[in-house]
Amino acid sequence: MAGLSSLGETGWEIDAWWADSTGEPLQCERFGAAPGAAPSANRGAIQRALNAQGAVTLTRPGVYEINDTLLIGDDTSLFLSPGVEIFLSDGTNKPMLMCRSDFLAGTQVTIAWSAGPIATVTWNAHGLVESDYVWIRGANQTEFNNVFRVGRVLTVNSFEIVMNLTPSTTATGTILAVRCTRNWSVKGGVWNGNRGANGVVGAGYTYNILFSIYAAANFHISDVTFKDFRRGITTGAVADYVVERCTYIGNEQFPCEGHKTYGPVNNGTLRNLVIRSTDDGMSIQPKEAPAFSWTGI
């Protein structure tokens, strides 16, 4: 199966589309998506295509209204052709796109360390492979709290991670681990958050957010226009990713932020972004090393 190729310090790029068993991308239109269709029908059709994984396309120009969050998982790419707009229904009050990672939960683990940058994580029946990523949090020592690519898988209950900074003591505290959604991309199209009809709400989301990306790794967001939002993209607990050639157009009638980055971050790249906002254009909070780089903002 084709995937993503490493470009070293510059991040990650698509080197091929994933496709279905026939070698063709999965078209959301085949699942029933259509401009002017009921919001629940469009959301359901696009989500069914995403659930099948692989390369997913939405090519017919027009406005596709949705009334719930779209969830993207591993090994999935979503391509929107020019003229395609995803529009958030009045009163939906949810992010437009999220990863499948259960980032609010986590499994309690232990971490053993004696010397050097390598530590051993014990996680019963972890089910991970060496291309997976984990977000670890809750250790009293900051060096252990980050997003790490899984190193050697030692047993069904343990694996190694390589830390960016060498700790001085072994890990203590109530430590939680979450498997990150990996190898995914979104390219093209307009995502319209309909900010005037989707405001500050509860249910764990205090902002009108278009892409809420947590516990995710090895992903690529490119050539997307974010429109009419409180916040265009929010990321946290992410690694090995690129966001590039995106345009953020906030609603001048409401406070709006373009790109919000929380920690931890491990090797992210932001480049060639155009942001119009009435609050923060780009807000960067991570303090991990190495966090990320940005150019052409």
Side-chain angles (χ1 to χ4, degrees):
M1 176 179 289
L4 303 182
S5 59
S6 172
L7 294 182
E9 294 181 356
T10 64
W12 299 83
E13 294 283 0
I14 302 297
D15 66 10
W17 292 108
W18 292 281
D20 65 13
S21 59
T22 68
E24 296 295 327
L26 294 166
Q27 297 176 330
C28 294
E29 293 91 335
R30 288 167 48 191
F31 291 83
S40 59
N42 274 331
R43 191 271 175 182
I46 299 170
Q47 188 60 61
R48 285 192 294 274
L50 292 172
N51 290 348
Q53 297 183 297
V56 176
T57 65
L58 188 57
T59 59
R60 181 182 174 187
V63 177
Y64 296 77
E65 189 170 345
I66 62 172
N67 64 350
D68 205 348
T69 303
L70 294 169
L71 301 174
I72 194 166
D74 294 344
D75 302 326
T76 302
S77 60
L78 175 60
F79 173 78
L80 277 61
S81 293
V84 171
E85 178 174 321
I86 309 294
F87 182 87
L88 192 64
S89 293
D90 292 0
T92 299
N93 291 327
K94 293 180 180 180
M96 297 186 75
L97 182 86
M98 294 182 68
C99 295
R100 287 195 174 277
S101 302
D102 190 6
F103 69 94
L104 293 176
T107 301
Q108 190 166 340
V109 301
T110 60
I111 302 178
W113 171 86
S114 58
I118 297 176
T120 298
V121 179
T122 298
W123 178 349
N124 290 336
H126 55 73
L128 300 172
V129 298
E130 291 184 6
S131 57
D132 280 324
Y133 291 75
V134 292
W135 172 29
I136 294 176
R137 67 184 189 271
N140 294 326
Q141 299 77 16
T142 58
E143 297 87 350
F144 298 99
N145 297 320
N146 210 325
V147 179
F148 302 98
R149 187 165 183 168
V150 173
R152 289 194 305 156
V153 175
L154 303 175
T155 72
V156 296
N157 299 318
S158 63
F159 57 89
E160 292 180 340
I161 57 172
V162 179
M163 292 169 288
N164 297 322
L165 300 173
T166 301
S168 57
T169 65
T170 196
T172 59
T174 302
I175 305 171
L176 298 177
V178 174
R179 181 189 179 280
C180 297
T181 301
R182 59 173 173 81
N183 298 354
W184 59 271
S185 65
V186 177
K187 179 180 176 66
V190 175
W191 295 74
N192 189 333
N194 187 20
R195 173 68 176 89
N198 288 282
V200 177
V201 296
Y205 302 100
T206 57
Y207 290 98
N208 166 238
I209 300 173
L210 304 196
F211 284 14
S212 182
I213 309 302
Y214 285 82
N218 195 8
F219 64 91
H220 186 195
I221 300 171
S222 62
D223 304 293
V224 175
T225 296
F226 301 96
K227 183 178 178 181
D228 201 357
F229 50 80
R230 175 62 178 91
R231 189 174 289 166
I233 296 181
T234 296
T235 60
V238 289
D240 292 340
Y241 72 97
V242 171
V243 178
E244 64 177 342
R245 300 188 306 274
C246 293
T247 300
Y248 304 70
I249 306 172
N251 187 321
E252 295 179 357
Q253 305 304 314
F254 303 97
C256 56
E257 299 175 314
H259 192 105
K260 184 80 168 185
T261 302
Y262 292 104
V265 171
N266 194 347
N267 188 31
T269 299
L270 310 176
R271 62 189 177 208
N272 300 332
L273 307 180
V274 177
I275 303 174
R276 188 184 79 189
S277 65
T278 58
D279 194 344
D280 296 328
M282 187 169 69
S283 178
I284 299 171
Q285 297 187 8
K287 57 187 177 183
E288 298 78 21
F292 59 87
S293 63
W294 66 90
T295 58
I297 310 300

